[in-house]
Amino acid sequence: MNNDILATLSITDATRKLATKEISSLDLVRACRANIERRNATLNAYLEVFDDVEAQAIAADTRRAMGEKQKLLGIPLAVKDNILIEGRRASSASKILEDYIAPYDATAIKKLKDAGAVFLGRTNMDEFAMGGSTENSAYGPTKNPHDESRVPGGSSGGSAAALASGMALGALGSDTGGSVREPASFCGVVGLKPTYGAISRSGLMAMGSSLDQIGPLTRTVADAKLLFEAMRGQDPLDSTSLDPSFYKEGLQRKKIGVPRHLLARGVDADVLKLFEETLKRLQEKGYALVDIELPSAGLALAIYYILMPAEASTNLARFDGVRYGLSRRGESLFDDYACTRGEGFGPEVRRRIMLGTYVLSAGYYDAYYGKATQARRTLSRECAAALKEVDVIMTPTTPSPAFLIGEKSDPLSMYLTDIFTVTANLTGNPALAVPMGEVKRTKINLPASIQLTAAHGGEATLFSIGREIEAV
Amino acid sequence: MYYDAMVSKEEVRALAQLARLRVSDSEIEGLQKDISNILEYVGQVGSIVPNKGETQVLRAQNVMREDILYGPATGLINKGKELLTAFPKREGDYAVVRKIIHKDE
């Protein structure tokens, strides 16, 4: 089997071929490496490819020969640079953690190791997962494999680009406001933001702790299910992680809710057209479309850009140059901190830390953080009520296809890309991004994506309807 | 209730101070514009009319556990050496920090 076919197999297909000994893990790893050698210098998807990947693959093949049959045995995956793998560098694409070596495995990584996965390397991202384009990396931007003048989305842009260019069979990202789903949309792959608490956050570098979730990026919905099931579970190291009994049975009502009031403006006409066509095809398959109202959803982005910086500024206070990372000496103790953090953090991270500091400061707390907390509860209640009537809520994943590198230089215009994705993080609901076709920009086809949001623990519903979308 | 969201240059400097960030003079103006624009946008949350009984307090509940070692579940057991290696400045098994208590002369 040639490398191009091997490197673009779904995990599900690769697992079957590995089981029948038609291919080996080493074949898969070599196929991915061939693409890495060909394109990574340009795309900048990986920050580092581990030098022991072939040894990992050979070990997996040996284990299979000995009769081991773990679900992901020998499957090569890419991992976002903010998820800890013991003994490997993990920098969150920041200068402040340039030389940081992870002292332990994230729980999600430990579970994937138990399932037999091979780790190819760590992927580029927006620094500390702050951004929607992977332009905020301290190690240079990642480019979109479909069109190298465009961004791959972010913040898990390296993972999405690696997968879309055949440099991995699957990838891990983290999603605080859309950071798995938006790059999945821009690169034409599947991305899942699980229910808050589904996958342990232990070993994921914290940005917004009440919003963060690790999520898989994959070629198919079946693959997303496979990785999700390998990683989920209650963990004593994350007190917000959920017991497996939380998960609900699959779909019941065949009803899709569409919040049309959110689509009235700001959505690219071609994306909207694909969205309507996808809905129509689902209708032909027997799904009923229901107009739903989420009156507070228009405020979701405003709520998010108060709560996320507030939590991030608190979480990033740990970078003081004492226990790990960059350490600079100034004139005074205050200067030690200010120099270390001023030099170690990039512009977007500093902007969000200052914004978080502002909304949490004594005089403004009630007007911003307090109001946002209240609005978050109202929004959660509205979503919960809607999801009592319908199986999923559908919108496009992003209002437009991938934009040009450098196009959104104003931070607020970049934030608006998250308009459809932040709600699921605020409410804790699971959401899945599935490719829904392509739109043409300057003669190049760019992927577009549809987002499905289900009730808490409703991942089974997302997978079942997601498969129907893939099939149409 | 809306606030005038335009922040002054002095406020930007004060924020940087509070956040323990050194910011160069050339960045102040850009930050002033960006932070003001973002605050104006997020200020929309002021328009929300609270539902009856919906307070500003988060509904999150504290999670209690036994005060015992997790054993092998925690990855940090026996990782002393790795944690020490991460110290930027180190003497033996100690992190070196600036002396902050001085004797009065």
Side-chain angles (χ1 to χ4, degrees):
Chain A
M1 192 172 287
N2 80 32
N3 276 351
D4 284 345
I5 296 174
L6 278 167
T8 52
L9 284 174
S10 70
I11 297 174
T12 312
D13 287 344
T15 308
R16 204 175 302 129
K17 290 180 193 299
L18 284 166
T20 58
K21 311 263 167 46
E22 190 183 332
I23 60 169
S24 69
S25 175
L26 190 59
D27 294 338
L28 292 172
V29 162
R30 285 186 171 157
C32 292
R33 281 188 67 166
N35 284 330
I36 291 168
E37 270 154 41
R38 204 158 49 86
R39 289 192 81 183
N40 195 52
T42 314
L43 295 179
N44 198 23
Y46 281 99
L47 292 175
E48 179 188 357
V49 178
F50 300 139
D51 52 17
D52 66 343
V53 285
E54 294 207 355
Q56 288 183 59
I58 291 166
D61 287 333
T62 310
R63 284 166 64 187
R64 188 175 293 280
M66 307 277 279
E68 291 189 37
K69 288 190 166 68
Q70 289 93 332
K71 281 196 165 163
L72 299 170
L73 187 57
I75 298 294
L77 302 175
V79 179
K80 191 177 180 179
D81 193 31
N82 62 349
I83 301 172
L84 306 192
I85 308 177
E86 188 178 336
R88 313 275 190 190
R89 218 165 276 262
S91 77
S92 253
S94 179
K95 289 288 177 199
I96 212 163
L97 281 178
E98 190 162 15
D99 298 317
Y100 182 69
I101 309 286
Y104 62 96
D105 279 330
T107 300
I109 293 294
K110 195 168 175 294
K111 283 172 172 285
L112 291 174
K113 280 185 178 174
D114 291 344
V118 166
F119 300 108
L120 286 162
R122 54 194 179 94
T123 54
N124 203 9
M125 55 186 280
D126 287 296
E127 184 180 359
F128 284 103
M130 296 185 187
S133 67
T134 316
E135 290 170 291
N136 295 333
S137 166
Y139 306 98
T142 298
K143 291 170 182 164
N144 192 313
H146 298 271
D147 176 352
E148 289 170 7
S149 67
R150 292 179 187 271
V151 304
S155 63
S156 315
S159 286
L163 181 63
S165 58
M167 299 181 186
L169 265 66
L172 297 195
S174 64
D175 191 315
T176 304
S179 280
V180 163
R181 290 162 285 156
E182 190 238 21
S185 167
F186 285 3
C187 290
V189 297
V190 173
L192 172 70
K193 198 289 285 182
T195 305
Y196 181 75
I199 297 174
S200 168
R201 288 178 293 115
S202 176
L204 167 67
M205 291 187 198
M207 172 159 66
S209 301
S210 77
L211 307 156
D212 297 340
Q213 269 295 290
I214 290 173
L217 293 111
T218 53
R219 297 206 168 99
T220 66
V221 172
D223 284 3
K225 181 171 186 278
L226 203 60
L227 289 187
F228 170 68
E229 286 173 354
M231 290 189 285
R232 77 171 183 196
Q234 198 161 30
D235 178 13
L237 301 176
D238 175 1
S239 65
T240 61
S241 59
L242 296 167
D243 186 86
S245 64
F246 187 77
Y247 296 94
K248 300 190 171 60
E249 289 300 305
L251 129 106
Q252 308 283 338
R253 293 156 293 195
K254 290 211 136 193
K255 276 189 186 171
I256 293 166
V258 185
R260 299 221 171 257
H261 62 108
L262 298 176
L263 308 174
R265 59 198 168 94
V267 185
D268 179 276
D270 295 335
V271 170
L272 203 56
K273 189 164 163 276
L274 280 176
F275 177 69
E276 296 295 351
E277 284 168 13
T278 310
L279 291 180
K280 195 158 174 286
R281 283 200 295 260
L282 284 165
Q283 224 172 354
E284 285 159 8
K285 288 189 163 207
Y287 286 88
L289 301 183
V290 183
D291 278 350
I292 56 162
E293 291 272 340
L294 301 169
S296 304
L299 286 175
L301 202 65
I303 302 169
Y304 177 77
Y305 277 96
I306 291 171
L307 298 181
M308 177 274 298
E311 295 186 18
S313 69
T314 312
N315 275 324
L316 269 57
R318 74 191 66 191
F319 294 98
D320 57 4
V322 174
R323 287 167 300 160
Y324 35 65
L326 185 81
S327 186
R328 287 279 177 268
R329 194 155 171 98
E331 304 266 297
S332 61
L333 179 67
F334 179 88
D335 272 357
D336 291 353
Y337 297 142
C339 291
T340 299
R341 292 161 60 79
E343 195 180 313
F345 291 134
E348 178 64 14
V349 177
R350 280 181 281 158
R351 192 152 45 225
R352 293 201 196 182
I353 290 175
M354 290 172 72
L355 201 61
T357 305
Y358 185 95
V359 299
L360 290 175
S361 61
Y364 300 104
Y365 181 94
D366 288 339
Y368 290 99
Y369 190 80
K371 279 284 183 189
T373 308
Q374 196 173 50
R376 180 185 198 175
R377 287 189 56 174
T378 306
L379 180 62
S380 300
R381 192 171 37 73
E382 289 170 10
C383 284
L387 286 164
K388 281 209 175 81
E389 306 302 318
V390 298
D391 298 312
V392 290
I393 298 169
M394 284 196 191
T395 63
T397 306
T398 53
S400 70
F403 47 87
L404 294 166
I405 292 171
E407 185 181 329
K408 297 194 191 279
S409 55
D410 159 46
L412 191 57
S413 73
M414 181 78 80
Y415 297 174
L416 290 167
T417 316
D418 302 339
I419 192 110
F420 296 127
T421 49
V422 293
T423 302
N425 300 83
L426 291 168
T427 61
N429 290 91
L432 182 73
V434 183
M436 63 169 177
E438 290 176 328
V439 302
K440 198 160 253 185
R441 288 291 178 279
T442 56
K443 293 182 183 162
I444 295 173
N445 284 331
L446 297 174
S449 169
I450 190 165
Q451 174 178 252
L452 300 64
T453 306
H456 294 99
E459 273 85 350
T461 305
L462 295 181
F463 297 139
S464 119
I465 303 178
R467 279 177 163 161
E468 301 253 30
I469 294 168
E470 276 179 328
V472 296
Chain B
M1 168 167 59
Y2 284 101
Y3 283 82
D4 179 5
M6 190 64 193
V7 295
S8 67
K9 289 193 175 64
E10 287 62 42
E11 280 179 298
V12 174
R13 287 201 180 86
L15 274 178
Q17 185 99 356
L18 276 171
R20 302 292 186 266
L21 289 170
R22 171 166 285 183
V23 176
S24 68
D25 284 342
S26 61
E27 288 174 278
I28 297 285
E29 208 158 299
L31 280 165
Q32 183 189 11
K33 184 177 133 275
D34 291 341
I35 292 175
S36 297
N37 283 343
I38 297 164
L39 286 174
E40 191 187 330
Y41 180 83
V42 301
Q44 290 179 65
V45 296
S47 68
I48 194 144
V49 182
N51 271 65
K52 215 177 157 194
E54 226 150 23
T55 64
Q56 296 193 10
V57 184
L58 270 174
R59 194 169 19 188
Q61 288 167 357
N62 200 5
V63 179
M64 309 295 278
R65 67 160 178 92
E66 293 294 314
D67 186 17
I68 48 163
L69 276 178
Y70 281 139
T74 146
L76 279 175
I77 280 187
N78 302 324
K79 288 292 159 54
K81 191 168 71 66
E82 286 79 359
L83 296 178
L84 291 173
T85 310
F87 289 170
K89 297 190 195 80
R90 176 182 168 190
E91 263 181 44
D93 286 351
Y94 295 91
V96 177
V97 294
R98 182 187 281 274
K99 185 176 174 185
I100 52 166
I101 300 170
H102 297 277
K103 195 175 166 191
D104 281 338
E105 293 302 323

